[in-house]
Amino acid sequence: MTDEMPSTDLITLTRHILADQFRLGATATGDLTMLLNAIQVTSKFIALNVRKARLINLVGLAGETNVQGEEQKKLDVLSNDIMVNALRASGKTSVLVSEEIDEAIMIEPRLRGKYCVVFDPLDGSSNIDAGVNVGTIFGVYKVTEGSEGSLKDVLQPGHAMVAAGYTMYGSSANLVLTTGQGVNGYTLDNALGEFILTHPDIKIPARGKIYSFNEGNSKYFNPPVVKYLESIKFPAGDKAPYSARYIGSMVADVHRTLLYGGIFGYPDDKKSKKGKLRLLYEAFPMAMLTEQAGGIATTGTQRILDIVPTDIHERCPVFLGSKNDVEDLLACYKSS
């Protein structure tokens, strides 16, 4: 038996984005292409530093807290600086919103473009010292008609996003992206320095076998969530119970949910009345990816992408995943 020859027709992220641009024809300006290219470059840079973090003393605390009141890791601060500098230099952005910065960044006129980017530069960073997967989450809005870039351009509902994605840094660097035409996954080939298409047209299974909740907070969960978790841990009849998988890094938990199905949840509860996850740069991008992959993303009472944000660091409850699983959860909310 002869060994199979490696593919010589590699589809890189750049090639894929350009193909989408060509498909749009004369209506495409190439600005979004250049912006997404800047984002993939930042992902490569952050991936490199995550791998070297222990060797170059990037783990540990930086001695500051971010707007959420969380202690900032050194790698948090570096990742934020990488993102801000690259997005500003791209010349395609007007407004930037980062988890690590209190106020929105308004880009100076000479570098101003027609897009706004909201991002969490390093989600799950509290796990860095333990070597757990971390990631960058981002969403892209188009500046509203007639605007030169203002806060209202990022305080739009999630369904107005034109692109969303995340890069997960672990045993490999995986970039998952949607521009509203389905979801594709790419893996960084370190030898080539390119993201290669490895997961084309990701579709989340209609039902999974895994639930991902922080059950350490069970004491504070509201009745609909308790009822739902009981139903999948102690199902009636001969049904098998669901398996629990919770990493504590949203990027890693959602990545697994997209590929294998099931449900991810971070609910509001008696302790965190509005939930814990940030709406603009965590919930919205992940909700867009989930829906584009055929799943559902909800707060339990409404579609996440329909929420109109009032603050750039607003929080909300999040449940997302396989269509049938999330519908079962919604049934618990309705019956309560």
Side-chain angles (χ1 to χ4, degrees):
M1 189 175 78
T2 58
D3 292 335
E4 186 178 339
M5 293 292 289
S7 172
T8 56
D9 186 25
L10 297 178
I11 300 176
T12 65
L13 175 55
T14 304
R15 172 179 163 183
H16 214 183
I17 294 170
L18 284 170
D20 284 342
Q21 180 185 327
F22 293 147
R23 207 172 294 127
L24 290 172
T27 59
T29 63
D31 286 359
L32 183 59
T33 300
M34 293 181 70
L35 176 58
L36 293 175
N37 191 58
I39 290 173
Q40 73 157 316
V41 170
T42 66
S43 294
K44 293 173 189 176
F45 195 4
I46 295 170
L48 177 67
N49 282 288
V50 168
R51 285 201 307 274
K52 298 194 303 183
R54 176 62 68 181
L55 297 174
I56 57 177
N57 198 31
L58 281 174
V59 295
L61 299 176
E64 299 176 6
T65 58
N66 63 15
V67 66
Q68 317 300 336
E70 302 161 338
E71 290 184 313
Q72 288 177 303
K73 300 280 186 173
K74 294 174 187 175
L75 203 52
D76 269 338
V77 178
L78 178 66
S79 300
N80 182 70
D81 290 346
I82 291 169
M83 289 286 287
V84 170
N85 290 335
L87 292 171
R88 175 185 279 123
S90 73
K92 303 303 174 188
T93 59
S94 286
V95 186
L96 305 178
V97 172
S98 169
E99 183 199 24
E100 302 299 330
I101 301 174
D102 295 20
E103 305 292 333
I105 299 171
M106 303 299 169
I107 303 299
E108 55 271 33
R110 69 184 182 86
L111 291 174
R112 193 173 291 155
K114 61 181 182 181
Y115 290 99
C116 306
V117 183
V118 296
F119 57 92
D120 182 348
L122 205 64
D123 173 71
S125 57
S126 60
N127 292 316
I128 290 171
D129 293 4
V132 174
N133 286 11
V134 292
T136 300
I137 309 173
F138 60 88
V140 181
Y141 286 106
K142 200 167 186 178
V143 172
T144 52
E145 192 71 35
S147 173
E148 293 187 358
S150 69
L151 205 55
K152 73 173 186 178
D153 292 317
V154 292
L155 294 179
Q156 300 183 66
H159 59 69
M161 279 186 172
V162 297
Y166 61 81
T167 306
M168 183 177 70
Y169 314 109
S171 57
S172 59
N174 300 95
L175 193 155
V176 177
L177 175 70
T178 180
T179 55
Q181 303 293 322
V183 180
N184 291 293
Y186 308 82
T187 303
L188 180 62
D189 185 319
N190 292 308
L192 294 176
E194 291 281 358
F195 280 101
I196 308 298
L197 180 65
T198 51
H199 296 78
D201 195 22
I202 295 171
K203 294 295 181 191
I204 188 168
R207 183 176 292 282
K209 300 176 181 177
I210 297 171
Y211 72 100
S212 185
F213 286 67
N214 181 3
E215 290 192 275
N217 289 329
S218 294
K219 175 182 177 180
Y220 308 108
F221 284 169
N222 291 317
V225 178
V226 173
K227 181 179 179 181
Y228 173 71
L229 291 176
E230 288 294 305
S231 74
I232 58 175
K233 291 193 292 184
F234 305 99
D238 296 330
K239 289 183 181 177
Y242 278 40
S243 296
R245 298 285 186 274
Y246 185 74
I247 298 168
S249 168
M250 187 187 190
V251 168
D253 283 315
V254 172
H255 187 69
R256 183 197 57 248
T257 304
L258 282 176
L259 296 183
Y260 301 156
I263 185 169
F264 167 83
Y266 210 115
D268 55 338
D269 55 33
K270 297 179 182 74
K271 186 172 66 171
S272 303
K273 304 287 186 184
K274 294 184 178 179
K276 197 79 182 285
L277 297 175
R278 269 67 64 160
L279 178 62
L280 212 56
Y281 41 79
E282 291 178 325
F284 276 169
M286 293 308 201
M288 183 177 181
L289 286 164
T290 301
E291 289 197 4
Q292 285 292 317
I296 296 175
T298 178
T299 64
T301 56
Q302 73 176 119
R303 180 188 180 216
I304 287 174
L305 293 180
D306 286 339
I307 300 172
V308 180
T310 57
D311 182 85
I312 61 173
H313 297 296
E314 186 175 337
R315 299 174 189 262
C316 81
V318 173
F319 302 98
L320 58 82
S322 296
K323 182 175 182 290
N324 294 345
D325 289 316
V326 180
E327 284 176 346
D328 289 347
L329 171 96
L330 289 172
C332 292
Y333 269 88
K334 286 173 183 171
S335 66
S336 297

